[in-house]
Amino acid sequence: MDFHLYATTAHDRFSGKMAEGNCIVAVSDGVVHVDDRPTDLSGMSSFSRNVSTLLERVEYRRCESGEDMEAIYRLRYKAYRLNGFLPESSDQMMMDALDDTPNCYRFGVFVDNSLVCTLRLHHLTPSEPYAPAMTRFGDLLHPRLLRGESFVNPTLLAADPDFISMHRALPYVTLRLALIASVHFQVTACLGVIRKEHTAFYQRTFGAVQVGQPRDYPPFTVPVVLYDANYEINLERVLQRFPFFRSTPMEQRMLFETPGAGELAPLTILPTAKYYREAA
């Protein structure tokens, strides 16, 4: 269940239909439509098989310092600048103060050892209410936090334009991190700050509903809307429809827990959805 400003080119540079594995993907009016009907006795659609195949080549990396952080900042800038969502910057990097909050998680998605996508997530709680969604929609969210609700807010999903033109499953592989975070933290909902033309995708895929009206979101040049995907209502339906979103508790801990004193954080984390397929 993800929600974010999504600057990739996947929605913005193509139209019509194309084959992805054995699955036909149609793109119209900025929205990706997939044929996810079951096509074999396992109940898995050709689209889900295609995403699962890509997952076999994926590694997730939590980026907290050094070259990894610089690489994801540059990828953000490249994707958003290419689509005209950002003004030009001399350092060609995109970052803000919310990258440094204690509830922030920055990830790089690597395919065949190359960085191809990045996603930032914030886990909002009453004690740590820091997130992009709060900067523009805090009047709607603050009362809910005071009632004890909690949220995951994925933002700044950016993909390499060359890679995503060949692998249209990449957004799903990356958005999987948001669903894993929702499960691990047992949140009330996953919040999205998204462009209007992408709302149909999130409604259909994650059962998200719009909260409030579109608002400006500097430094971006397009207005955004807040979408809310309730965890309890939508989780099982999403997992049944898209089994590649499943994860083991070990993968969840490796992605989101802070290592103890003297322990080293894992360099990379391999997706575990395949273990559910093999056990089925």
Side-chain angles (χ1 to χ4, degrees):
M1 280 169 281
D2 150 39
F3 305 88
H4 47 291
L5 266 166
Y6 180 25
T8 108
T9 70
H11 296 88
D12 304 310
R13 289 175 57 194
F14 296 90
S15 62
K17 292 185 178 180
M18 63 206 71
E20 184 168 335
N22 295 321
C23 175
I24 296 298
V25 179
V27 186
S28 62
D29 299 324
V31 179
V32 176
H33 306 275
V34 299
D35 183 358
D36 58 359
R37 292 169 295 179
T39 57
D40 59 27
L41 294 179
S42 71
M44 182 178 289
S45 69
S46 58
F47 177 73
S48 290
R49 286 198 306 273
N50 184 55
V51 178
S52 298
T53 298
L54 181 59
L55 272 177
E56 297 290 333
R57 301 162 54 195
V58 164
E59 294 179 354
Y60 297 123
R61 185 177 301 175
R62 189 164 153 186
C63 302
E64 298 186 326
S65 61
E67 294 181 358
D68 283 344
M69 285 175 54
E70 182 175 329
I72 65 173
Y73 293 160
R74 290 190 181 279
L75 180 55
R76 288 178 187 173
Y77 178 83
K78 178 182 179 181
Y80 283 86
R81 179 63 183 160
L82 179 65
N83 286 276
F85 301 148
L86 277 181
E88 187 173 1
S89 170
S90 59
D91 63 7
Q92 298 189 343
M93 290 195 290
M94 179 184 174
M95 67 198 83
D96 60 33
L98 288 168
D99 281 308
D100 298 320
T101 60
N103 63 332
C104 178
Y105 303 83
R106 293 156 296 191
F107 290 97
V109 179
F110 292 75
V111 175
D112 301 333
N113 298 314
S114 296
L115 176 65
V116 297
C117 205
T118 180
L119 182 70
R120 180 175 75 179
L121 300 110
H122 286 85
H123 175 216
L124 290 81
T125 62
S127 61
E128 293 184 336
Y130 320 115
M134 288 292 289
T135 65
R136 303 309 298 167
F137 299 95
D139 58 316
L140 302 177
L141 297 173
H142 186 65
R144 297 175 62 181
L145 287 170
L146 292 179
R147 294 198 297 267
E149 296 187 31
S150 63
F151 310 103
V152 164
N153 180 205
T155 56
L156 298 183
L157 191 159
D160 184 277
D162 298 323
F163 190 89
I164 200 169
S165 64
M166 298 181 293
H167 297 278
R168 315 251 331 163
L170 183 59
Y172 290 84
V173 168
T174 307
L175 298 182
R176 183 173 176 270
L177 289 164
L179 194 56
I180 294 174
S182 298
V183 173
H184 178 71
F185 293 117
Q186 295 287 293
V187 297
T188 306
C190 189
L191 302 175
V193 179
I194 60 177
R195 293 162 52 196
K196 185 177 181 180
E197 57 264 40
H198 294 163
T199 57
F201 168 78
Y202 294 108
Q203 290 170 343
R204 179 176 182 271
T205 304
F206 301 110
V209 296
Q210 182 173 334
V211 181
Q213 297 302 311
R215 299 183 182 182
D216 292 335
Y217 188 33
F220 299 101
T221 58
V222 292
V224 297
V225 291
L226 179 66
Y227 265 69
D228 178 311
N230 182 276
Y231 171 83
E232 185 175 353
I233 293 173
N234 293 296
L235 178 65
E236 284 307 316
R237 179 189 64 81
V238 172
L239 293 179
Q240 287 291 329
R241 186 177 178 196
F242 300 117
F244 51 80
F245 282 142
R246 295 185 182 275
S247 61
T248 64
M250 178 178 290
E251 182 183 4
Q252 296 163 23
R253 290 193 299 270
M254 292 176 70
L255 287 168
F256 293 105
E257 285 191 358
T258 301
E263 297 179 350
L264 296 176
L267 292 177
T268 60
I269 300 97
L270 300 178
T272 58
K274 67 177 182 179
Y275 297 116
Y276 283 92
R277 295 201 314 274
E278 292 170 356

